[in-house]
């Protein structure tokens, strides 16, 4: 607990300008971090600094600004490499986000390989972005999408997973931390089991990287993907990590500038990694902002962040469980900092509106995980998700606002 | 917060808890399924017409308080209306929730008036109008069926 005691949440909050605003006359209590987190001044300044000082297109000019922008852009790649401990920098491909990263793997890795009857294995707790790209590639190839079931508590049924890894399985794609349930999946075990059968694994780390330290080499993940905007960075930027051997063997995802070495009308020679997968002018400011976000997170330390958020999760779980008529959806043994819940008396959508009136921002809806909602027989849930800057006091505000809402409907 | 409280107190306490005409209907003349994928509201509207008059209308499904109570109030308001009157009421109601200007041919909304408060919560407007859009779809389907016969 010692690092929790030293954790200076007040000074962290001061780094996030938006946290001092009010909503409907109440201090903002921002608990929608799983949808998108807020930005520290360091990220805002990095983006502003680029535009005010160094901005130009990257990799294209001999002039000073292009060189400065290119260097900042590539520095961000170095930061990402260190953050997830990729073995080399060119295994880090910048994309628009988790969604694009998964689509890229589906189309460039899976599609050329899949034959009718082959299988892609996902789980019942995936975000739509880790379902639909596979459905599309299955439609294109005649492959079959297989879904590992989850338990009432919201854990993967690992026995079923092992049974479902078959001779026809060509890829496993699994979420590291569920955005709807908070479950932290045993990805290391999953990867080891798949590798034992020679099957590669993609890990959707969108909800993991902001909250738990990720080491792609230790996990031995073949692909690991995430978004910048949940990691205190800008929107419209994300990462595809892939093992060099796999990325090298894959055809480009999109064609255009930057992804080529030479072009003639007869023959085009593709660029090397990672540029082969970064066609066109990239999200330069986004990438540089993401680099600043990673630097910020590393300065605070993911260990300290995880400990703080775990404290928040435990406290919030305890507080919410005391509320009569409240049911938590997702009670896995290993959870990251979010709580999905429903109330007997109040529809999630009404909860969202009433909490908002008290300045509390939560997400309500199906969280882009409709199969999860169906699994638990609810149309939607309300979800409070925590970040490094949330406080115990904010959990109290949340709990009070929920109680008031229930009374209103009582 | 006070506005919100008032809105809900007037609307939900009654209709959300005791929705009127909340039932499936055997052999309806018109039927449509409405779905608000963003929040998971699902509603079925059933409709019986006789000589161009809404003889019975009922609903079934699962939605938030605004959606449910709006559907309930709608069924009460529509019974006995002609097709044209029903359509005009829909237009008027929709206008009241989405536009700042007064509706040109203002049709009195009667008890539906309380739902106008939803206009202050733009993301909730579609909760209040889902039942109406679904009703409109059911009516169109019925009319379509007739015209193709
Ligand atoms: C688990 C998970 N996967 C994928 C995504 C999609 O991320 P993005 O919309 O940034 O591409 C999200 C975010 O909503 C998520 O929570």
């Amino acid at each position: 607990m010692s690092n929790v005691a030293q954790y200076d949440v007040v000074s962290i909050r001061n780094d996030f300008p938006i946290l001092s605003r009010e909503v409907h006359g109440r201090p903002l209590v921002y608990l929608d971090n799983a949808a998108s987190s807020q930005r520290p001044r360091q990220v805002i300044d990095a983006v502003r600094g680029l535009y005010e000082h160094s901005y130009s297109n990257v990799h294209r000019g001999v002039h000073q600004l292009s060189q400065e922008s290119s260097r900042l852009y590539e520095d961000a790649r170095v930061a990402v490499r260190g953050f997830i401990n990729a073995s080399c920098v060119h295994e880090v491909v910048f994309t628009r986000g988790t969604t694009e990263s998964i689509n890229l793997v589906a189309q460039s890795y899976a599609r050329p390989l899949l034959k009718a009857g082959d299988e892609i294995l996902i789980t019942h707790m995936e975000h739509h972005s880790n379902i639909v790209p596979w459905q599309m590639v299955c439609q294109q190839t005649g492959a079959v999408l297989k879904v590992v079931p989850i338990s009432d508590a919201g854990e993967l049924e690992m026995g079923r997973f092992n049974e479902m890894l078959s001779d026809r399985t060509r890829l496993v794609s699994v979420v590291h931390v569920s955005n709807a349930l908070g479950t932290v999946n045993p990805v290391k075990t999953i990867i080891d089991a798949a590798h034992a059968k020679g099957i590669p694994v993609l890990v959707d780390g969108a909800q993991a990287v902001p909250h738990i330290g990720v080491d792609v080499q230790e996990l031995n993940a073949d692909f690991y993907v995430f978004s910048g905007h949940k990691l205190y960075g800008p929107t419209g930027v994300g990462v595809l990590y892939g093992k060099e051997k796999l990325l090298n063997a894959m055809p480009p995802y999109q064609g255009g500038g930057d992804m080529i070495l030479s072009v003639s009308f007869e023959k085009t020679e593709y660029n090397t990694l990672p540029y082969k997968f970064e066609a066109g002018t990239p999200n330069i400011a986004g990438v540089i902002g993401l680099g600043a976000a990673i630097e910020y997170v590393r300065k605070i330390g993911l260990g300290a962040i995880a400990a703080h958020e775990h404290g928040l999760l435990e406290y919030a779980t305890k507080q919410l469980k005391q509320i009569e008529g409240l049911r938590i959806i997702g009670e896995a043994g290993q959870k990251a900092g979010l709580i999905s819940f429903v109330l007997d008396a109040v529809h999630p959508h009404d909860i969202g509106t009433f909490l908002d009136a008290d300045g509390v921002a939560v997400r309500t809806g199906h969280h882009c995980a409709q199969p999860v909602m169906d699994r638990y027989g609810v149309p939607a849930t309300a979800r409070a998700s925590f970040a490094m800057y949330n406080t115990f006091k904010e959990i109290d505000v949340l709990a009070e606002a929920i109680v008031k809402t229930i009374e209103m409907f009582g | 917060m006070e506005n919100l409280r008032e809105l809900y107190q007037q609307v939900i306490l009654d209709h959300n808890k005791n929705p009127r005409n909340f039932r499936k209907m055997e052999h309806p003349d018109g039927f449509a399924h409405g779905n608000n994928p963003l929040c998971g509201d699902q509603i079925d509207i059933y409709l019986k017409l006789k000589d161009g008059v809404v003889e019975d209308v009922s609903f079934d499904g699962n939605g938030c308080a605004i959606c449910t109570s709006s559907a309930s109030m709608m069924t009460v308001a529509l019974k006995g209306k002609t097709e044209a009157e029903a359509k005009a009421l829909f237009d008027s109601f929709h206008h009241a929730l989405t536009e700042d200007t007064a509706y040109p041919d203002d049709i009195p909304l009667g008890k539906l008036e309380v739902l106008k408060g939803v206009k202050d919560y733009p993301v909730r407007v579609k909760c209040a109008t889902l039942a109406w859009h679904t009703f409109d779809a059911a009516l169109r389907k019925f009319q379509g069926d007739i015209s193709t016969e």
Side-chain angles (χ1 to χ4, degrees):
Chain A
M1 287 302 271
S2 66
N3 50 356
V4 175
Q6 288 157 18
Y7 192 81
D8 189 355
V9 75
V10 175
S11 92
I12 290 174
R13 289 182 72 80
N14 285 337
D15 287 334
F16 289 79
I18 205 171
L19 295 181
S20 58
R21 74 160 277 180
E22 295 193 338
V23 168
H24 307 306
R26 307 290 185 100
L28 167 66
V29 174
Y30 190 76
L31 299 176
D32 193 18
N33 296 288
S36 203
S37 58
Q38 299 296 345
R39 321 276 166 265
R41 199 180 303 281
Q42 287 79 348
V43 169
I44 299 167
D45 286 350
V47 172
R48 184 211 306 261
L50 169 75
Y51 283 133
E52 289 185 350
H53 192 69
S54 300
Y55 179 75
S56 176
N57 210 329
V58 291
H59 309 139
R60 295 196 183 167
V62 294
H63 62 77
Q64 179 67 21
L65 294 191
S66 180
Q67 290 186 47
E68 285 182 22
S69 288
S70 301
R71 186 178 49 75
L72 290 168
Y73 183 87
E74 291 306 325
D75 283 353
R77 199 186 310 272
V78 173
V80 172
R81 189 213 65 78
F83 184 61
I84 58 172
N85 194 33
S87 57
C88 49
V89 169
H90 56 254
E91 290 179 322
V92 174
V93 175
F94 289 119
T95 64
R96 279 199 305 120
T98 305
T99 302
E100 189 175 55
S101 298
I102 296 173
N103 277 280
L104 193 162
V105 175
Q107 291 301 315
S108 285
Y109 176 76
R111 188 176 177 179
L113 173 110
L114 289 175
K115 306 238 171 353
D118 283 349
E119 294 168 5
I120 301 280
L121 189 56
I122 62 169
T123 82
H124 204 120
M125 68 171 91
E126 300 307 322
H127 187 278
H128 293 165
S129 65
N130 200 23
I131 301 173
V132 184
W134 305 117
Q135 287 175 330
M136 289 165 69
V137 79
C138 284
Q139 219 153 38
Q140 287 157 343
T141 59
V144 184
L145 192 60
K146 295 279 181 178
V147 183
V148 179
I150 53 180
S151 70
D152 289 342
E155 291 173 334
L156 278 184
E157 298 200 1
M158 289 301 288
R160 294 289 294 129
F161 166 75
N162 285 315
E163 289 164 16
M164 291 174 84
L165 273 180
S166 80
D167 295 346
R168 300 304 304 262
T169 310
R170 294 290 168 261
L171 185 76
V172 173
S173 192
V174 60
V175 70
H176 197 164
V177 173
S178 158
N179 68 308
L181 301 167
T183 310
V184 181
N185 283 318
V187 285
K188 177 76 183 137
T189 310
I190 289 170
I191 291 168
D192 287 347
H195 284 181
K197 299 192 166 173
I199 303 162
V201 180
L202 181 152
V203 180
D204 170 359
Q207 299 291 347
V209 287
H211 309 295
I212 51 186
V214 170
D215 181 330
V216 291
Q217 290 189 76
E218 191 197 301
L219 288 177
N220 202 5
D222 300 282
F223 300 104
Y224 197 99
V225 301
F226 60 94
S227 299
H229 67 99
K230 297 178 201 282
L231 184 61
Y232 313 101
T235 55
V237 62
V239 168
L240 162 65
Y241 158 81
K243 284 184 180 163
E244 180 177 6
K245 218 175 97 201
L246 294 172
L247 290 178
N248 263 333
M250 286 156 58
Y253 175 52
Q254 294 179 328
D258 257 1
M259 53 74 70
I260 44 77
L261 285 177
S262 69
V263 176
S264 71
F265 289 114
E266 289 71 43
K267 183 175 179 347
T268 290
E269 206 180 326
Y270 300 136
N271 206 336
T272 52
L273 290 179
Y275 308 108
K276 181 169 88 175
F277 293 110
E278 293 181 4
T281 300
N283 183 351
I284 300 168
V287 164
I288 290 166
L290 174 58
I294 285 174
E295 201 178 305
Y296 183 80
V297 167
R298 294 188 90 179
K299 197 188 79 200
I300 311 272
L302 262 178
I305 292 170
H308 174 69
E309 290 175 350
H310 187 70
L312 291 172
L313 175 68
E314 285 201 328
Y315 183 66
T317 305
K318 193 174 118 241
Q319 295 300 92
L320 295 200
K321 276 196 164 166
Q322 284 171 10
I323 299 175
E324 211 177 309
L326 184 149
R327 178 158 68 103
I328 292 177
I329 307 284
E331 300 196 273
Q334 295 290 317
K335 265 183 84 170
L338 71 84
I339 300 182
S340 255
F341 63 94
V342 292
L343 299 179
D344 291 343
V346 192
H347 189 278
H349 217 180
D350 298 308
I351 301 173
T353 293
F354 273 87
L355 297 195
D356 178 61
D358 275 338
V360 181
V362 297
R363 170 86 185 268
T364 59
H366 54 58
H367 317 294
C368 297
Q370 281 180 359
V372 175
M373 302 296 115
D374 295 343
R375 168 67 177 78
Y376 295 98
V378 293
T381 73
R383 178 188 70 190
S385 52
F386 314 124
M388 64 159 95
Y389 41 65
N390 288 122
T391 66
F392 291 84
K393 170 107 188 314
E394 288 180 309
I395 308 283
D396 292 337
V397 176
L398 167 71
E400 263 167 52
I402 295 172
V403 169
K404 260 169 59 185
T405 305
I406 294 175
E407 281 168 8
M408 171 79 204
F409 279 72
Chain B
M1 187 67 191
E2 274 324 296
N3 288 350
L4 185 64
R5 209 167 266 283
E6 239 166 68
L7 170 67
Y8 271 74
Q9 251 153 9
Q10 293 194 42
V11 177
I12 57 139
L13 289 181
D14 183 14
H15 281 269
N16 186 48
K17 278 196 189 149
N18 306 300
R20 322 290 198 268
N21 303 303
F22 186 66
R23 57 188 149 80
K24 290 189 169 60
M25 195 187 286
E26 298 290 323
H27 314 298
D29 296 321
F31 166 81
H33 176 73
N35 172 24
N36 183 347
L38 216 63
C39 44
D41 291 343
Q42 306 259 2
I43 209 163
D44 288 330
I45 298 282
Y46 305 87
L47 157 77
K48 256 198 181 24
L49 289 142
K50 196 173 180 189
D51 305 330
V53 172
V54 177
E55 192 181 50
D56 192 13
V57 49
S58 71
F59 79 106
D60 188 32
N62 183 319
C64 65
I66 292 177
C67 176
T68 303
S69 48
S70 176
S72 166
M73 295 169 81
M74 178 190 81
T75 60
V76 175
L78 285 177
K79 266 196 218 179
K81 296 266 190 295
T82 65
E83 287 178 40
E85 285 168 347
K87 184 88 181 73
L89 189 60
F90 169 45
D91 288 344
S92 191
F93 179 76
H94 194 261
H95 189 94
L97 262 67
T98 53
E99 306 287 336
D100 287 327
T101 53
Y103 193 60
D105 310 303
D106 206 4
I107 299 181
L109 291 177
K111 290 193 171 147
L112 302 176
E113 197 77 27
V114 289
L115 286 168
K116 272 164 88 173
V118 175
K119 186 161 175 293
D120 294 336
Y121 303 90
V123 292
R124 308 299 305 274
V125 166
K126 43 189 189 344
C127 308
T129 54
L130 179 65
W132 285 88
H133 283 292
T134 311
F135 166 76
D136 190 47
L139 188 59
R140 275 165 202 268
K141 258 196 236 168
F142 167 74
Q143 290 167 337
D145 287 349
I146 301 244
S147 63
T148 52
E149 261 173 18

